[in-house]
Amino acid sequence: MDFASVLPTFAITLREGVEAALVVGIVLAYLKKANRAHLARWVWSGVGLGLVASAIIGGLFGWLIAHLGEANQRYAPVIEPLLEGVFSVLAIAMLSWMLLWMTRQARAMKGQLETSVGVALQRDEQAGWAILGLIVFAVVREGFETVLFIASRFEEGLFATLGAVLGIAAAALIALLLFKWGVRIDLRRFFQTMGVLLLLIVAGLVVAALAHFDAALHAFAQIDRASEQLCFFSERFSRNASCILGPGIWDGSRVLPENRFPGALLNALFGYTEHFYLVQLVGYALFIALVGGLYWQSLSGRPLLPFKKRTPLNTTLH
């Protein structure tokens, strides 16, 4: 079994699963405090429906990938890497947004949830449905991000799915430790550590996405000779350059091959590739600088992308 392929999805699902578990735990604690513990069944129903909905979404993504790949055999070498690239971009956007949003909102999450549940409890006949919707949304939101990540690496579908299952199990264990057995866990340190790991995993996804688009355009240029000009670098500058990724700056096929340990582990976790190109380096650096900078700002509590306010000039005449 390729455990290296299990780790990235495990890490992502563990982090997102703990977030969903915190939502569930806060809602259950508030219901107990409000003497409405009988509504807990709606919470657990929401967890179950959310997991089922996430599985259905994953199945639909799998069907879409398989169907599109078989729809046109001539363009199959183009469709497969193109789909991987598209899903990678979607996963990058969703995971980056959730990393920044959740870090920013963590301080106020408990109060916001209690306010939402309090509003729901004011409508007795609809309280259960409102709580159900709240929990389903929380679970599906986290599950959808994992589905996108798995879809972006669908050649590792079985192992990625196994990692997701293990991540959910680990998140459930942490939830039991927190809420049932009262074990103290430094959640702040946990989310900071997992946030840095997630940042590096998504940065690796940037490198992989660029490689997928490069492979798709290269295959398309081979099929349709009229499209050879799409390979900007190899057609206009050097035949030794990649199609759209520019000249190679690293060849680790002998020193650190990506199909052997530890290269395979680095590849699965952080997107390491034994053939690294200039555009990939630029994309990786820009992502780390932009999203990483915003992440550190959110940890410190400072506003994201702050703009300095201008002090108006005093134009009063004396």
Side-chain angles (χ1 to χ4, degrees), residues 31 46 49 53 92 111 127 131-132 135 153-154 180 209 212-213 215 218 223 229 266-267 279 305:
L31 290 176
L49 286 174
I92 291 165
I131 291 170
L132 177 74
I135 298 299
R153 309 167 67 124
F154 60 80
K180 190 171 181 62
H212 293 322
F213 288 125
H218 179 75
I223 295 172
Q229 294 302 316
L266 294 174
N267 174 265
V279 174
L305 296 177

Side-chain angles (χ1 to χ4, degrees), residues 265-305:
L265 181 61
L266 294 174
N267 174 265
L269 272 176
F270 307 123
Y272 165 78
T273 174
E274 61 189 33
H275 297 291
F276 200 53
Y277 296 91
L278 179 61
V279 174
Q280 288 175 310
L281 175 62
V282 172
Y284 187 90
L286 286 175
F287 179 85
I288 291 292
L290 178 60
V291 179
L294 293 174
Y295 177 62
W296 288 117
Q297 281 189 11
S298 65
L299 286 178
S300 64
R302 290 180 295 170
L304 300 181
L305 296 177

Side-chain angles (χ1 to χ4, degrees), residues 19-270:
E19 289 179 5
L22 286 176
V23 172
V24 172
I26 291 170
V27 172
L28 288 173
Y30 186 84
L31 290 176
K32 185 177 180 180
K33 181 181 177 181
N35 295 319
R36 307 291 289 276
H38 63 281
L39 293 174
R41 67 179 187 274
W42 291 93
V43 176
W44 296 117
S45 297
V47 172
L49 286 174
L51 291 174
V52 170
S54 297
I56 291 173
I57 292 172
L60 289 175
F61 268 94
W63 176 85
L64 177 65
I65 291 168
H67 179 74
L68 290 178
E70 296 173 357
N72 193 322
Q73 291 297 321
R74 183 189 177 194
Y75 288 99
V78 179
I79 293 173
E80 182 174 330
L82 182 61
L83 283 176
E84 291 181 2
V86 169
F87 286 129
S88 293
V89 170
L90 292 175
I92 291 165
M94 285 292 296
L95 290 170
S96 299
W97 179 78
M98 278 306 300
L99 174 66
L100 299 175
W101 182 87
M102 192 63 198
T103 304
R104 190 70 183 168
Q105 298 297 319
R107 299 176 183 85
M109 183 176 69
K110 185 173 184 292
Q112 291 172 351
L113 279 173
E114 289 182 348
T115 300
S116 298
V117 177
V119 171
L121 293 180
Q122 293 175 4
R123 298 172 294 176
D124 290 339
E125 70 281 0
Q126 298 177 350
W129 290 106
I131 291 170
L132 177 74
L134 177 68
I135 298 299
V136 169
F137 175 77
V139 174
V140 170
R141 183 185 64 193
E142 313 300 349
F144 183 63
E145 294 163 12
T146 305
V147 167
L148 278 179
F149 186 79
I150 294 174
S152 69
R153 309 167 67 124
F154 60 80
E155 75 280 1
E156 303 168 359
L158 177 62
F159 298 114
T161 303
L162 177 60
V165 173
L166 293 175
I168 292 173
L173 177 60
I174 291 176
L176 286 174
L177 291 173
L178 287 171
F179 300 113
K180 190 171 181 62
W181 297 320
V183 177
R184 291 185 176 274
I185 297 175
D186 190 344
L187 286 174
R188 182 171 175 272
R189 183 62 57 85
F190 170 82
F191 279 116
Q192 285 182 359
T193 303
M194 295 301 293
V196 172
L197 181 59
L198 180 60
L199 180 69
L200 294 175
I201 289 174
V202 179
L205 206 56
V206 172
V207 174
L210 291 170
H212 293 322
F213 288 125
D214 179 76
L217 286 175
H218 179 75
F220 186 61
Q222 294 295 316
I223 295 172
D224 184 0
R225 291 294 181 180
S227 303
E228 286 183 342
Q229 294 302 316
L230 291 173
C231 290
F232 182 81
F233 284 102
S234 59
E235 289 297 321
R236 298 194 181 186
F237 293 101
S238 172
R239 289 289 177 177
N240 296 324
S242 177
C243 181
I244 59 171
L245 300 181
I249 59 175
W250 165 260
D251 184 355
S253 55
R254 293 184 179 180
V255 180
L256 191 62
E258 63 186 47
N259 59 349
R260 295 180 186 175
F261 183 84
L265 181 61
L266 294 174
N267 174 265
L269 272 176
F270 307 123

